Amino acid sequence: MSDQVTEREVGRSRPRKEDAHLVTGQTTWTDNIDVHGLLHLAILRSPMAHARIRRIDVSPALEQPGVVAAFSGRDLAAGLGSLPCAWPVTEDMVLPDHPPIAVDEVRYAGDPVAVVVARDRYAAADALEAVEVDYEHLPPVLDLEAALAEDAPLVHSDKGTNRCYVWPLATGEEYPAVRHRADVVLRRRYVQQRLIPNAMEPRSVVVTPLAASGEYTVHSATQIPHILRIMLAMVTGVPEHKLRVIAPDVGGGFGSKLQVYGEEALALAVARRLGRPVKWTESRSEGYLATHHGRGMIQDVEIAATREGRLLGLKVDLLADMGAYLMLVTPGIPILGAFMYPAIYKMDAYDFTCTGVFTTRTPTDAYRGAGRPEATYAIERIMDELAVELGLDPVELRRRNWIGHEEFPYTAIAGLTYDSGNYEAATDKALALFGYDELRAEQRKRNESGETVRLGIGVSTYTEMCGLAPSRVLRDLRYAAGGWEAASIRMLPTGKVEVVTGTSPHGQGHVTCWSQIASDVLGVPFEDVEVVHGDTRAAPQGMDTYGSRSLVVGGAAVHHAAEKVVEKARKVAAHLLEASEDDLEFTHGVFSVKGSPEARRSIQEIAFETFSSHDLPDGMEPTINAEHLVDPDNFSYPHGTHLCAVEVDTETGRTTIRSYVSVDDVGRVVNPMIVEGQVHGGIAQGIAQALYEEAVYDDEGNLVSGTMADYLVPSAADLPAFVTDRTETPATSNPLGAKGVGEAGTIASTPAVVNAIVDALRPLGVSEVAMPCTPQRVWEALRAARSDGHSSGGPTASAESAKEASA
C-alpha cells in the first residue's frame, strides 16, 4: 500500500496530470482515430445565404476517383429527424424544423446540401466540385430590426414571421413609476457583434458500426457526450442503448462543442447506411461557416438614478440574433443574461424584454460566458456613462450602489439569491495593485498638455451565475434537462482509486482537480487517483461540461461520493478493529480507535479486506465503492473587479493595453495554478471581443471574415502581461465552497477595455466606439467628434433631466 498523505491537496498548485501526454504528442484527438475500413465524409455547403434548391445531382461525384457514395439531403431525409432545441423559452416560441442537411431550401451560407464519401479525405473533398446544384436566389434576412417589419422576407416562410419569441421579466416596482421620479435617465444602444469560436482542435466525428449487434460507437470532439448520445438517438432513430459516445482528448470548446451538430447525425446516418466506419473533420474555414457563432445582439439600455447617484431602475430591451435555426440552447442564451443585467447593484425596478429574431446567418448558441458577458458589458458601460453625467468617479458610483458584504445572502432585483460575496474587498485590492490614483493623475497631466497618445482607465465590476443548476429552476425556465451531476468512486484492491465523473473536460484540468478532491477526502496519495471521463459506457451518468458547472456541481459529486466510501469503509474498519463506529477517528486515510492509536487500519487496507471479503460485517456487500448525484440548491456567484489602462494614439487610432489587473473571487480554490490559467484565457477572449474579433457578412449574407486572415484572433504577442489576484468568500451552495471560474475572465474583461478606450477619448468628444474597437473605428469616432465639435454619441446616446424623462 502507498504511504499515507498528511498535506492537504485542495489549495495546492499541482501541475496538471493531463499535460504529459498532451505535450509529448500522445493525444487521442478524434481526427487521430483510424479504424479498419474507414471512409471519409465531405460536405458540400451552400454558397448562398438563402435559396431554393431547384435541382441537385450527386451522380457526377460517384464517377470521381476513390468515391464510394454520395447523397443529397433528400436521399438521407428518411433516416434523419430534426436537430434538437432543448430550450423552448416560451410556450408560443416559433420552432422550425432543422434538418441536418437541407432538402428544399438553404437558409445560411454554409448550410449542408450534399455529402460525398470516399476512401480518403482529399478524394472526398475533390469530388464535391462534381456535385451539380441549381439554386433559386431568395432575399437574405440580415438586419435584426428590418427582419421584424411586416413586409420583411421570411427565413421560414411556413412560420409567417421572423420573430422567434418575446421573453419578458419585470421585477420590483413598475419601471415607469421609478423613471418618473428619477433626476437622471440615460439611454444607450450597444451592439454585441457576432463572434466565431476558435477552439484549437476543429470539430471531428468518427462513427464505427458493430454490425453483429447493431451498435455504434461515436467518437466526437464534444463537450457533451451524454447529451449527444440522447439526442443522436432521437434524431437518427438508433436506440440509445445501442449508442456509445466517447469524447476522447478534446482541444478546447468555449461553448462551440456544447452542441448536437448536423455533421454528427450525418456521419451516423451514413455509417448506418453503408455499414462502414465514417470520419468527418472540418477544415478551419468550414468551421467558420458551420460551427455555431456567439453573441449577435442589439441592446437598448436605459438607467434611472437620483442626482446623488443612487440607482432607481434599469430597463433592457434586446434583439437577439438566432441565426437561421434554433440549435441546442440557442433561444436560452440571452435569457441566461437576463438575470445578470442588474449585476452587483441595488435598485428598485428592473424591466427586461428579449426578442429572438431569425436571420439567414449561421445559427448562434453558447460562447464562453453565454449571455452573461453581454449583460455585464451593458451595465458596466452605462454605469460609466452615468458616472460622467453625474460628475462622479466611476469607482465611486459603483461603491454607492453595490450590495454590501454584510448583506449576504442577498436576493437581487432580478430574483436570484446571491449567497456570498465581498465586492469592497475585491475592488480595494484591485485598485491598490493597479495604482489607480497614480494613473488618474498621469491621465490629467496628459489631457492638460494635449498629448497625441491619450491614457484611458476602464473599470468593470461583475458577478455571474454559473454552475448551471438546480433542476427545478431549469424546469421553470423551460429547459429540457436537469442541472444534476454524477460521480462514483471505485476503491481497487491494491489501494488505488478510480474516480468516474459525468463531467467531460476539454482543457479545464478535471483530472488534476478531481484527484486533489478525492485525495483529501480519502486520504490517499494524489498519484494513486485516476479519473475516468468522457465515455458513456465507462461513465454512464452525467450532464457534461459547460457554464462553469464542472467543479461546483461535478466536483461536489466527487466529494460526496468519496465521503460515502469513507463511511462504508468505517463499517468494515469498526468490525476489524472490534470497535464501535462512533469510537473511530479517520485522519489522513487511516481509521484508528480513540485512545488506542496503535489499533489502526488504512482505507487502502480496508479496500483489500473488502475485496477478499473474508471477514466483513454480516449482511454487508463486498464493496466500499460509492456513487453520488448532486442537484444543487443554487447557482454559484463568482465576482470581481477588473481594471484596464490603455494608451490610444489619436493620430492612428491604435489602442495599446498598458496594464491589466483582475481580482476575482471564485470561492475556495482547488488548484491556484489552474484558476490563474482559466482567468488568463478568459481575459484574452474578452479582450479579443473588445479589440479584434467580428464575424462580418456582406449584403447578400456571405461571411467575408471566413478565415484567420480575415477574422482576427489575438495571439500571446498581442496581449499584455496580466496581474491577477483573488479574494475568497466561500460559496455556501456546495461542500467545496467553490465558485465557477471558467468564464469569469471573459465576462469581466470586455467592458473594462472598452470603458478604458472611451475614457481616453472622452475629452476629445467621443462617447462611444463600436466593438471591435479597431484602429479604423477609433479614428472614425475621433473624426466624427471633431466634425460635430463636441460629441460622437449620436441619436442612440442621450441623457434626460427628470422633467424631460417624465414628459
Side-chain angles (χ1 to χ4, degrees):
M1 301 297 175
S2 302
D3 294 335
Q4 302 305 305
V5 293
T6 58
E7 183 179 354
R8 281 188 60 81
E9 283 290 338
V10 170
R12 293 180 65 184
S13 284
R14 279 278 194 182
R16 299 196 330 166
K17 284 185 174 183
E18 299 92 325
D19 290 346
H21 81 284
L22 294 173
V23 300
T24 56
Q26 299 178 67
T27 48
T28 306
W29 310 118
T30 302
D31 193 47
N32 295 152
I33 295 169
D34 193 11
V35 294
H36 179 70
L38 183 66
L39 299 174
H40 294 265
L41 187 149
I43 297 173
L44 183 67
R45 299 182 181 278
S46 169
M48 306 179 73
H50 199 194
R52 289 191 185 91
I53 301 172
R54 286 301 189 190
R55 184 183 70 90
I56 184 164
D57 186 0
V58 299
S59 60
L62 295 170
E63 300 172 5
Q64 302 302 305
V67 172
V68 174
F71 306 102
S72 68
R74 194 167 300 281
D75 294 331
L76 296 172
L80 291 170
S82 179
L83 292 174
C85 174
W87 204 338
V89 295
T90 64
E91 285 189 20
D92 59 351
M93 185 184 82
V94 175
L95 180 57
D97 286 341
H98 183 186
I101 181 170
V103 177
D104 299 312
E105 191 170 320
V106 294
R107 293 183 171 88
Y108 65 96
D111 213 351
V113 297
V115 298
V116 172
V117 188
R119 292 186 177 88
D120 66 68
R121 68 179 62 187
Y122 307 106
D126 290 344
L128 292 178
E129 297 180 8
V131 177
E132 298 175 1
V133 187
D134 291 338
Y135 296 101
E136 177 190 343
H137 177 269
L138 294 172
V141 179
L142 302 170
D143 182 271
L144 293 181
E145 291 177 306
L148 297 177
E150 287 188 11
D151 58 348
L154 298 176
V155 180
H156 300 275
S157 57
D158 60 318
K159 300 302 180 184
T161 181
N162 290 321
R163 182 178 283 104
C164 176
Y165 65 86
V166 177
W167 192 91
L169 175 67
T171 61
E173 297 181 45
E174 291 188 1
Y175 178 78
V178 166
R179 186 183 195 275
H180 181 76
R181 69 171 187 263
D183 298 314
V184 176
V185 176
L186 256 60
R187 289 195 299 268
R188 293 292 186 269
R189 167 168 285 197
Y190 302 116
V191 176
Q192 297 284 329
Q193 77 271 36
R194 275 177 167 250
L195 301 179
I196 302 176
N198 277 271
M200 191 170 290
E201 178 204 17
R203 290 189 293 121
S204 184
V205 59
V206 175
V207 180
T208 305
L210 304 173
S213 61
E215 296 178 321
Y216 299 85
T217 298
V218 180
H219 288 83
S220 182
T222 183
Q223 298 174 217
I224 52 167
H226 298 90
I227 295 172
L228 179 59
R229 181 190 189 207
I230 296 167
M231 296 304 185
L232 282 180
M234 296 170 63
V235 173
T236 65
V238 175
E240 184 183 350
H241 66 286
K242 296 291 187 179
L243 281 174
R244 177 186 183 185
V245 176
I246 300 172
D249 292 315
V250 177
F254 314 117
S256 70
K257 294 171 184 173
L258 165 57
Q259 195 53 264
V260 178
Y261 282 105
E263 293 87 354
E264 291 161 321
L266 287 172
L268 179 54
V270 170
R272 187 183 196 183
R273 188 154 178 160
L274 300 181
R276 296 272 298 274
V278 170
K279 177 190 287 187
W280 172 80
T281 301
E282 70 180 0
S283 66
R284 183 65 68 178
S285 57
E286 187 179 19
Y288 274 40
L289 287 171
T291 296
H292 75 239
H293 293 178
R295 316 290 191 251
M297 185 185 294
I298 297 173
Q299 304 169 305
D300 287 314
V301 186
E302 183 174 288
I303 197 165
T306 67
R307 191 170 289 106
E308 294 73 31
R310 187 176 82 82
L311 298 187
L312 297 176
L314 182 69
K315 180 175 173 55
V316 178
D317 291 295
L318 303 184
L319 291 180
D321 189 350
M322 304 287 98
Y325 296 102
L326 302 183
M327 299 192 76
L328 191 64
V329 290
T330 301
I333 296 304
I335 306 309
L336 280 175
F339 299 95
M340 288 289 102
Y341 282 86
I344 66 174
Y345 306 118
K346 295 182 284 188
M347 59 189 71
D348 301 330
Y350 175 50
D351 192 310
F352 172 93
T353 303
C354 178
T355 302
V357 184
F358 290 112
T359 63
T360 53
R361 289 187 276 204
T362 303
T364 59
D365 210 300
Y367 179 64
R368 197 170 190 171
R372 287 100 77 209
E374 298 93 310
T376 300
Y377 182 87
I379 186 63
E380 289 303 289
R381 283 289 296 114
I382 204 165
M383 285 294 284
D384 260 34
E385 297 300 304
L386 181 60
V388 171
E389 184 69 21
L390 295 172
L392 292 172
D393 180 272
V395 176
E396 176 58 26
L397 176 63
R398 289 164 170 83
R399 286 188 193 278
R400 293 184 184 187
N401 289 284
W402 64 37
I403 302 157
H405 69 275
E406 72 283 355
E407 297 179 83
F408 290 95
Y410 185 88
T411 300
I413 188 69
L416 298 177
T417 299
Y418 302 168
D419 64 329
S420 67
N422 191 327
Y423 308 140
E424 305 97 305
T427 302
D428 289 345
K429 195 169 196 177
L431 292 171
L433 290 169
F434 191 62
Y436 185 81
D437 292 339
E438 294 84 352
L439 283 168
R440 284 293 184 200
E442 180 186 344
Q443 181 188 48
R444 285 192 293 272
K445 288 182 180 179
R446 286 198 187 194
N447 290 345
E448 290 166 0
S449 63
E451 290 190 18
T452 299
V453 178
R454 294 300 179 104
L455 177 65
I457 298 166
V459 180
S460 175
T461 53
Y462 80 97
T463 189
E464 61 141 328
M465 53 185 281
C466 61
L468 194 61
S471 297
R472 290 182 180 181
V473 170
L474 298 180
R475 173 202 63 194
D476 293 342
L477 292 173
R478 300 180 60 83
Y479 182 62
W484 55 267
E485 193 48 76
S488 61
I489 305 287
R490 298 196 290 246
M491 291 292 301
L492 304 182
T494 55
K496 309 302 181 185
V497 179
E498 288 180 337
V499 174
V500 182
T501 177
T503 62
S504 184
H506 43 282
Q508 294 90 339
H510 292 187
V511 172
T512 302
C513 292
W514 281 209
S515 295
Q516 291 178 272
I517 293 167
S519 174
D520 273 0
V521 178
L522 299 172
V524 301
F526 170 80
E527 296 79 10
D528 286 356
V529 183
E530 187 63 46
V531 178
V532 179
H533 60 80
D535 182 340
T536 60
R537 181 165 294 171
Q541 295 186 96
M543 291 300 293
D544 305 316
T545 295
Y546 40 86
S548 301
R549 71 185 300 272
S550 291
L551 178 61
V552 298
V553 190
V558 171
H559 176 91
H560 285 301
E563 286 185 324
K564 286 183 175 179
V565 168
V566 172
E567 290 311 303
K568 284 187 174 184
R570 182 184 299 276
K571 297 182 183 299
V572 180
H575 177 76
L576 295 174
L577 295 170
E578 298 181 344
S580 165
E581 292 181 40
D582 295 337
D583 289 336
L584 292 186
E585 295 178 332
F586 182 70
T587 307
H588 304 311
V590 175
F591 292 98
S592 59
V593 180
K594 296 175 185 177
S596 302
E598 69 284 352
R600 52 193 285 129
R601 291 292 181 98
S602 74
I603 195 168
Q604 291 164 306
E605 291 173 317
I606 298 297
F608 187 83
E609 292 287 351
T610 306
F611 164 73
S612 70
S613 65
H614 290 167
D615 189 11
L616 296 180
D618 291 341
M620 182 174 182
E621 296 178 351
T623 180
I624 56 173
N625 297 345
E627 68 176 6
H628 192 88
L629 277 76
V630 166
D631 198 342
D633 296 328
N634 198 357
F635 298 90
S636 77
Y637 300 95
H639 69 82
T641 298
H642 287 221
L643 302 170
C644 179
V646 302
E647 292 183 326
V648 182
D649 189 324
T650 59
E651 292 184 340
T652 66
R654 181 181 180 186
T655 297
T656 303
I657 297 179
R658 174 167 147 178
S659 61
Y660 194 102
V661 168
S662 76
V663 174
D664 298 282
D665 191 321
V666 296
R668 290 207 176 97
V669 171
V670 173
N671 189 310
M673 185 187 303
I674 288 177
V675 166
E676 189 171 2
Q678 289 277 15
V679 171
H680 278 212
I683 293 172
Q685 285 184 283
I687 291 173
Q689 179 174 7
L691 296 180
Y692 299 104
E693 297 188 24
E694 182 178 22
V696 179
Y697 286 82
D698 66 16
D699 292 341
E700 286 298 313
N702 300 303
L703 182 67
V704 296
S705 56
T707 71
M708 281 191 167
D710 310 297
Y711 185 90
L712 303 183
V713 181
S715 69
D718 299 306
L719 299 168
F722 306 129
V723 176
T724 61
D725 208 333
R726 295 185 302 278
T727 56
E728 183 178 303
T729 54
T732 63
S733 57
N734 64 81
L736 302 170
K739 304 175 182 179
V741 69
E743 298 162 297
T746 303
I747 288 166
S749 54
T750 305
V753 175
V754 177
N755 277 343
I757 293 169
V758 175
D759 183 62
L761 302 179
R762 198 180 296 278
L764 302 175
V766 175
S767 62
E768 183 61 37
V769 180
M771 294 191 292
C773 302
T774 61
Q776 179 175 345
R777 284 184 174 164
V778 170
W779 183 83
E780 288 175 347
L782 283 163
R783 184 178 64 173
R786 292 183 187 115
S787 65
D788 290 348
H790 63 280
S791 171
S792 66
T796 63
S798 63
E800 302 176 349
S801 68
K803 183 177 180 181
E804 292 168 330
S806 62

